[in-house]
Amino acid sequence: MNVKALLINRGLNTSLRNVDKGSRIDFAPNNLNYIGVGWYFWGVGVKLHFPLPVSWFYERADIFKSQVIDIRGTLYQKHWLLEGGVQLYQNLYLSEGQTLDDGLNSASETGIQAFRFTSSVTYLFSGEEVSVKAPFNRNNIQLQNAGTWMLTGGFSYINLSGEGSVIPERARNEFANDSTITEVSANSFFIRPGYTYNFVYRNFFLHASGSVGLALQRKNLERVDSDMDKLGVAPLYNFGAAIGYDNGKYFAGISSVFTYGYMQLGNIRLQERARNTELFIGYRFPEPNWIKNNKPRFLNWFTNSK
């Protein structure tokens, strides 16, 4: 059993590009900070966190009444890893690096939003030797150097939409005829082979993982006066890393996971880069009998499964 304090940064960087013209729009807000606590008992890890009013974008996000919903969850077994997440960023505006004139968008540009949903399952080919839990939540401890191949498959949906055009008014000259786009989206089924490795030296640990694959996409682009719909294939990337210290009782470290994907229809490309970075410090202790003896039966199958 363990408890830990958490400082979390989650983000969804959304960009829209006109490939032919070389024009690009980066939207904000694109991240949010959280503070929270996590604990592990009954063989299950749980995290509870709350947003902090401190971030790179916060002052401008407050002006435009931007809202962020970012929910992610993970379940583990020896060989299996199930992950899912929902990210919704509402009332987007031009990022800080693309300010024009007074540096602010007009009020008419509110209503632009980015949405991302993903669900995946990963199989570890050497699950008994390599812990994918250890680097990220310290629910168990990797005792020696080990690595394994892994295979991930799943579904994702990305969407950029607006009450009117998704091109902010002050950037429409750069997109010309494409400035009337009201929605860009893609449904994707993907598969990503990859490799993960844990390096252990005394009480220090270093983790790295990566997977690269392809997504079969159903792509859609809507303009004020026309729609486009097409099947296609695009690359998808996922990388993770963690470093820290764990002496069996106390532990601390930092971990990050990044996912990058895009869809392109005609000369318009929608890019989304999701990330999750956590700084954690915690304490591990024996599970009290009153907690151990009241474990729900339905958890036995999952937590004891090989």
Side-chain angles (χ1 to χ4, degrees):
M1 182 173 180
N2 70 53
V3 294
K4 51 187 172 286
L6 304 166
L7 185 61
I8 304 170
N9 179 269
R10 290 179 172 175
L12 180 64
N13 292 78
T14 303
S15 302
L16 196 65
R17 295 181 58 190
N18 184 316
V19 178
D20 291 343
K21 295 180 177 294
S23 303
R24 171 171 171 163
I25 296 174
D26 294 314
F27 291 97
N30 54 30
N31 73 100
L32 191 61
N33 295 324
Y34 301 84
I35 188 171
V37 62
W39 58 93
Y40 177 74
F41 62 98
W42 290 338
V44 176
V46 179
K47 297 176 183 177
L48 181 65
H49 48 77
F50 305 93
L52 286 173
V54 179
S55 194
W56 307 116
F57 65 84
Y58 194 78
E59 182 177 350
R60 301 182 77 218
D62 187 55
I63 292 173
F64 292 103
K65 295 179 170 46
S66 299
Q67 296 181 343
V68 174
I69 298 174
D70 197 319
I71 303 172
R72 309 187 197 190
T74 305
L75 292 175
Y76 299 92
Q77 285 186 333
K78 287 289 185 179
H79 287 275
W80 298 94
L81 169 65
L82 292 86
E83 297 178 286
V86 175
Q87 295 173 277
L88 176 62
Y89 284 62
Q90 296 178 305
N91 290 336
L92 301 178
Y93 49 85
L94 289 174
S95 68
E96 198 71 46
Q98 294 187 314
T99 57
L100 300 173
D101 298 334
D102 59 2
L104 299 176
N105 300 119
S106 65
S108 64
E109 291 171 3
T110 61
I112 301 174
Q113 68 175 32
F115 177 79
R116 179 178 180 267
F117 168 81
T118 182
S119 177
S120 67
V121 56
T122 299
Y123 180 77
L124 302 176
F125 290 90
S126 299
E128 287 84 2
E129 301 174 6
V130 180
S131 171
V132 292
K133 301 179 186 179
F136 298 102
N137 56 28
R138 309 314 298 166
N139 291 350
N140 54 10
I141 304 173
Q142 182 77 44
L143 299 177
Q144 60 184 3
N145 300 341
T148 180
W149 292 100
M150 58 185 181
L151 185 64
T152 300
F155 169 80
S156 69
Y157 173 72
I158 60 174
N159 175 281
L160 178 69
S161 61
E163 296 175 358
S165 173
V166 298
I167 311 297
E169 184 175 347
R170 299 185 181 186
R172 289 176 187 171
N173 288 339
E174 300 181 19
F175 279 75
N177 295 335
D178 293 315
S179 63
T180 61
I181 294 173
T182 58
E183 183 174 356
V184 187
S185 63
N187 294 284
S188 303
F189 291 93
F190 61 85
I191 186 168
R192 294 194 319 257
Y195 191 80
T196 181
Y197 192 86
N198 290 334
F199 176 78
V200 180
Y201 178 73
R202 295 182 178 178
N203 293 328
F204 296 91
F205 63 88
L206 176 65
H207 166 84
S209 64
S211 59
V212 179
L214 293 175
L216 176 63
Q217 298 179 327
R218 182 64 179 261
K219 304 176 287 187
N220 178 262
L221 188 151
E222 297 184 11
R223 292 184 171 89
V224 173
D225 54 357
S226 64
D227 295 343
M228 294 177 63
D229 197 311
K230 190 175 181 181
L231 289 174
V233 176
L236 188 65
Y237 310 92
N238 180 275
F239 300 100
I243 187 170
Y245 175 85
D246 190 335
N247 67 4
K249 190 173 184 179
Y250 300 97
F251 58 89
I254 185 170
S255 65
S256 293
V257 179
F258 301 87
T259 300
Y260 170 76
Y262 70 86
M263 65 80 71
Q264 183 170 332
L265 195 53
N267 61 330
I268 297 299
R269 175 180 291 188
L270 172 63
Q271 299 178 168
E272 290 196 336
R273 302 175 298 281
R275 67 183 184 278
N276 187 83
T277 300
E278 297 187 7
L279 180 67
F280 55 86
I281 182 170
Y283 175 72
R284 189 179 289 109
F285 54 93
E287 191 170 75
N289 288 332
W290 65 271
I291 292 181
K292 185 184 303 183
N293 295 335
N294 287 283
K295 180 179 179 179
R297 291 185 179 180
F298 76 91
L299 290 175
N300 291 329
W301 173 86
F302 183 80
T303 57
N304 295 331
S305 175
K306 300 297 183 182

